[in-house]
DNA sequence: CTTGACCCTCACACCACGTGAGGGATGACA
DNA sequence: TGTCATCCCTCACGTGGTGTGAGGGTCAAG
């Protein structure tokens, strides 16, 4: 029977020895056996549990909740792992997207320098237009895919803590917009416009649109069945409401 | 002149009011003006800085470091973006690794489950599980406690005929290479080169490459995300280590 | 002039560990 | 048989980035 010491576990898993002590303290991961010397000895079962713990921790769940999850007798390991897999691959896609955006931004910064010297505005604007269109395609595809994957999974059941930070922000905005609709607020009202500002800021993380671009994004929300499906599940009427609010925001605060 | 209160900033950025207070306290983000009433008022400048802060924070930088970065007058945007890019791609790779690990775990768990139902999977999963245990034993287990170098030497001497399947042989080589990395051995060292010879023999089962072809295979390992994900799951750094070892092997013992 | 939603400053609580002190156990080698 | 390095333990305080009040002032609308 394999017997791992704390150091072994630490090396195998990458967590610190102190963390393992902590997990023992709070009852999250107890050793299989305690030696007469007081040493902690773990087995294969504990190694697997630790792996589970780490996957959950990766997604930002508090240890207490992880404990509750793993100790739940109705806990399905494979299902949990598959859910993890989906979330991780969504996150990976988001990172890939951010990387692409950064690359383009760097290229743009470099291009801007030579542009001031050369004053080749035409080619630049055409290039930028193409770039922008491509960006929307990228963004659109990834966004829609992750969203649909999420709603296809048990979106309603998912605890708030399990949301990744960026997604949580988007969700928060959607929820606030839905609440605004419920409260009968107008799309051009101050509160809604503040939310749209937040939405704009969120979009700007990956891509900074000008006035027409932002309006175009809103129109894309309304015209695309995929997007519409997603938004309408959050709140009926949200799609058109948001697009209209975005139009107002763009026309009052953005430049072309 | 736009004037944002703490709440405005909080809503726009998604940060809590408390966090803004904290950022003020530590000098990371100070308000543009303080009202006679003591209220914090922020402007567009601060909003932009806050976005920068959040971007860095998302990558896990401590606030102190973010402050130092943003306050550095010689702050190079392009360099910062490139650093971002590197970190993001590292994160993306790490996610890819985790995904691969999850897939393997799921396969393992499924194997355990279907084992009772379907005997076809039985041999496969048992083999894989045994292999996994063996790898761990070799590196850290109570059996091979004598010394890593010893068990590795035995491993290296083990004739290929004793291996049940080609897959097992490959996995054994990977495990031994991982152990070599742990032992701090060099890619051009004798032991590692012996392992690469074994790897070369394995490759030759299906296809006999010449010098450049074998080097190219190594480069393919490093360049292909799929390959990289697999190798990095076995041991971080294994991909590049193996490729380098292959290059040395090819240049010293293969012809063109 | 009230009401409710803001704002402020303390100040203590929290999580998931890091860090170090002080001391025992183990095992390879001289 | 000692020696020395490397493990192991507990105890306990420190840290970062907030959350969560308490206690009290400010502001805009009705």
């Amino acid at each position: 029977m394999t017997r791992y010491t704390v150091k072994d576990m630490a090396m195998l898993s990458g967590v610190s020895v102190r963390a393992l002590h902590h997990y023992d303290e709070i009852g999250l991961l107890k050793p299989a056996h305690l030696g007469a010397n007081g040493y902690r000895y773990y087995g294969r079962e504990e190694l697997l549990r630790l792996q589970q713990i780490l996957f959950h921790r990766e997604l930002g769940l508090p240890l207490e909740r992880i404990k509750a999850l793993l100790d739940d007798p109705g806990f399905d390991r494979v299902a949990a792992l598959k859910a993890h897999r989906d979330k991780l691959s969504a996150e990976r896609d988001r990172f890939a997207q951010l990387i692409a955006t950064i690359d383009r931004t760097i290229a743009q910064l470099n291009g801007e320098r030579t542009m001031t010297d050369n004053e080749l505005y035409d080619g630049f604007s055409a290039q930028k237009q193409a770039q922008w269109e491509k960006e929307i395609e990228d963004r659109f595809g990834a966004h829609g895919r992750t969203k649909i994957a999420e709603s296809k999974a048990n979106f309603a059941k998912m605890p708030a803590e399990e949301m990744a930070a960026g997604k949580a922000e988007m969700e928060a905005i959607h929820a606030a917009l839905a609440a605004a609709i419920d409260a009968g607020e107008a799309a051009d009202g101050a509160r809604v416009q503040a939310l749209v500002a937040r939405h704009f800021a969120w979009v700007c993380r990956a891509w900074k649109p000008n006035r027409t671009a932002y309006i175009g994004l809103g129109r894309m929300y309304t015209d695309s069945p995929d997007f519409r499906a997603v938004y309408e599940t959050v709140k009926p009427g949200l799609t058109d409401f948001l697009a209209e609010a975005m139009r107002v925001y763009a026309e009052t605060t953005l430049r072309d």
Side-chain angles (χ1 to χ4, degrees), chain A:
Chain A
M1 201 61 178
T2 39
R3 208 181 58 160
Y4 306 112
T5 69
V6 271
K7 183 102 194 275
D8 296 336
M9 291 288 278
M11 290 187 70
L12 284 170
S13 67
V15 305
S16 69
V17 170
R18 176 70 179 92
L20 289 170
H21 286 181
H22 183 58
Y23 294 168
D24 186 5
E25 262 176 40
I26 66 172
L28 176 58
L29 180 68
K30 284 184 219 158
H33 184 60
L34 279 180
N37 45 19
Y39 284 22
R40 293 169 177 86
Y41 293 115
Y42 301 86
R44 246 178 56 76
E45 184 67 23
E46 284 70 35
L47 198 55
L48 278 176
R49 185 176 168 105
L50 179 53
Q51 201 191 32
Q52 298 275 326
I53 291 169
L54 294 184
F55 283 142
H56 285 280
R57 194 186 64 168
E58 191 68 37
L59 294 167
L61 275 157
L63 300 186
E64 264 312 312
R65 204 160 287 265
I66 296 176
K67 187 183 165 193
L69 258 178
L70 296 187
D71 290 345
D72 180 4
F75 173 69
D76 184 348
R77 281 185 183 179
V78 175
L81 281 173
K82 280 182 179 165
H84 273 336
R85 217 203 91 99
D86 289 347
K87 281 177 206 151
L88 284 173
S89 76
E91 277 294 283
R92 186 200 49 191
D93 290 350
R94 201 172 65 87
F95 276 125
Q97 217 179 300
L98 280 174
I99 287 167
T101 306
I102 286 182
D103 284 344
R104 279 193 287 265
T105 308
I106 289 175
Q108 224 181 45
L109 284 177
N110 287 338
E112 271 180 13
R113 267 183 208 152
T114 60
M115 189 191 59
T116 47
D117 292 350
N118 286 346
E119 296 193 10
L120 287 172
Y121 263 131
D122 287 348
F124 178 70
S125 73
Q127 198 181 10
K128 203 173 179 186
Q129 184 68 23
Q131 205 174 58
W132 175 70
E133 272 172 351
K134 187 167 183 290
E135 215 147 14
I136 284 188
E137 283 251 285
D138 290 348
R139 182 174 188 77
F140 179 75
H143 188 82
R145 254 184 282 121
T146 56
K147 275 296 173 193
I148 285 167
E150 260 183 32
S151 69
K152 267 182 186 169
N154 41 4
F155 177 68
K157 284 186 206 163
M158 189 159 41
E161 298 98 306
E162 276 192 46
M163 308 231 187
K167 271 181 208 161
E169 161 71 353
M170 195 74 260
E171 303 295 341
I173 294 172
H174 291 163
L177 282 169
I181 291 177
D182 277 338
E185 292 194 32
D188 58 352
R191 249 182 260 280
V192 170
Q193 284 300 300
L195 286 169
V196 175
R198 212 166 132 196
H199 176 270
F200 181 71
W202 186 87
V203 169
C204 283
R205 285 180 171 193
W207 154 65
K208 183 146 180 120
N210 60 13
R211 180 195 287 194
T212 49
Y214 196 54
I215 295 175
L217 180 64
R219 200 147 47 224
M220 195 149 43
Y221 287 174
T222 64
D223 292 347
S224 152
D226 292 334
F227 259 99
R228 182 170 276 279
V230 170
Y231 282 91
E232 293 299 312
T233 53
V234 175
K235 174 81 190 174
L238 177 57
T239 325
D240 295 327
F241 185 79
L242 174 56
E244 171 62 12
M246 283 168 72
R247 197 190 55 77
V248 172
Y249 179 82
E251 287 185 350
T252 52
T253 73
L254 294 183
R255 287 179 310 172
D256 237 334

